[in-house]
Amino acid sequence: MDPALYRRRVEEAAAAIRETTTLDANIGLILGTGLGALADEIEAEASIAYDAIPHFPLSTVESHHGRLIAGRLDGVPVWAMQGRFHLYEGYGPKEITFPVRVLAALGVETLLISNAAGGMNTNFRRGDLMLVTDHINLQGANPLIGPNDDDWGPRFPDMSMPYDEGLRRLAEEAALEQAIKLQQGVYVAVEGPNLETRAEYRFLRGIGADAVGMSTVPEVIVARHMGLRCLAVSVITDECFPDALEPVSIADVLAAAAEAEPKLTALMRALVSGIV
Ligand code: HPA
């Protein structure tokens, strides 16, 4: 798509959202699979269904709600996306990252992301939280392909540290304070929607990843393109050890995400309060 048209759509979406609230927030939250309940903790000033926002994609995954919430979390103003978009839904990389451009247009400078991921590091257990230290993009797709909009960011954005060091330190401190076990590791993004074969898990572990999932990386690429500070936390929903692999259902994944939700909610709350 013509970059000028794409930018106009972003601006139209942001303008429509602006009509529903005067909230001034520079923190954005993307709430992933089964982790939407954090949204219930937000004192909402406005809650906008994605289908009411011009040009927004629609969430097709049952486990993802589709609304943008403007409100306060423990008094701190935030924008929260309850539900996100994935390549496996059939959307392109620019469509799934459209909301990140919109968040930036609304004034977001810090992006906190959660996701569900399969744990390949054998020190990880189902239900653990993992602070993402770095990522590998194996989706065969990139939201920055095509003409570059120089007003947003450079043609060749740096990726030497996609996950902000200060935010990670804050997360470590918050986890320690609240006695939440926080693993750390590299997240590899795949296209999905199927889970991996044993051979694929062995390969992904071998190239340096600790956890695997189907999201987050496109959003972080676009956020970094615009210079936003990023932090991501994965909930380890299944153990992906190739030599002891058990079948996993989406119900298992959602159940693990729901069980870990109180820990993630506590961590995110502490982070949001710590940023200000
Ligand atoms: N693979 C990919 N994505 C996932 C997994 C997995 O094992 N678990 C949760 N999301």
Side-chain angles (χ1 to χ4, degrees):
M1 186 194 301
D2 170 31
L5 177 59
Y6 189 80
R7 174 181 280 277
R8 195 154 70 239
R9 288 185 175 180
V10 168
E11 284 163 2
E12 282 170 7
I17 294 162
R18 274 268 163 249
E19 278 177 23
T20 68
T21 175
T22 55
L23 187 87
D24 185 15
N26 57 25
I27 298 176
L29 304 170
I30 300 179
L31 308 171
T33 306
L35 306 169
L38 179 58
D40 300 335
E41 314 286 333
I42 297 170
E43 215 179 295
E45 278 193 13
S47 172
I48 313 145
Y50 289 163
D51 60 11
I53 306 173
H55 314 302
F56 241 61
L58 297 178
S59 196
T60 65
V61 191
E62 270 173 48
S63 52
H64 286 245
H65 301 268
R67 56 193 179 130
L68 178 69
I69 298 158
R72 288 170 197 280
L73 186 58
D74 300 322
V76 181
V78 296
W79 296 103
M81 281 179 61
Q82 194 178 21
R84 64 138 67 84
F85 306 99
H86 309 81
L87 291 174
Y88 64 73
E89 294 175 76
Y91 293 117
K94 282 193 160 55
E95 290 174 288
I96 60 171
T97 53
F98 181 85
V100 178
R101 298 288 188 192
V102 174
L103 287 177
L106 290 167
V108 165
E109 293 168 348
T110 301
L111 191 60
L112 308 180
I113 301 177
S114 70
N115 61 49
M120 298 183 293
N121 182 325
T122 51
N123 292 321
F124 293 0
R125 290 293 169 269
R126 181 177 188 262
D128 280 356
L129 300 184
M130 183 191 89
L131 183 62
V132 178
T133 56
D134 206 347
H135 74 223
I136 299 172
N137 180 10
L138 270 197
Q139 293 195 311
N142 192 306
L144 303 183
I145 286 176
N148 186 58
D149 187 327
D150 296 331
D151 292 335
W152 267 330
R155 170 77 291 187
F156 302 107
D158 176 69
M159 283 289 154
S160 57
M161 198 179 293
Y163 301 89
D164 186 80
E165 211 170 13
L167 292 176
R168 281 190 277 139
R169 196 160 309 133
L170 209 57
E172 286 177 296
E173 285 164 10
L176 203 58
E177 223 160 78
Q178 314 218 16
I180 294 168
K181 181 164 88 170
L182 187 59
Q183 306 278 16
Q184 303 207 10
V186 173
Y187 175 93
V188 61
V190 294
E191 206 170 27
N194 59 280
L195 301 187
E196 288 65 40
T197 64
R198 290 166 195 260
E200 287 166 341
Y201 285 129
R202 199 172 285 116
F203 165 73
L204 295 171
R205 181 71 182 131
I207 62 168
D210 297 284
V212 53
M214 305 171 193
S215 69
T216 303
V217 167
E219 289 126 316
V220 168
I221 289 173
V222 162
R224 290 304 303 146
H225 182 235
M226 297 182 287
L228 273 59
R229 293 195 299 168
C230 297
L231 176 123
V233 178
S234 298
V235 175
I236 303 300
T237 54
D238 49 312
E239 294 171 5
C240 307
F241 310 147
D243 298 314
L245 194 65
E246 307 269 357
V248 177
S249 70
I250 186 66
D252 297 335
V253 168
L254 295 181
E259 277 167 41
E261 183 142 15
K263 282 193 293 188
L264 185 66
T265 301
L267 185 63
M268 287 293 187
R269 286 183 101 133
L271 260 167
V272 165
S273 296
I275 286 169
V276 186

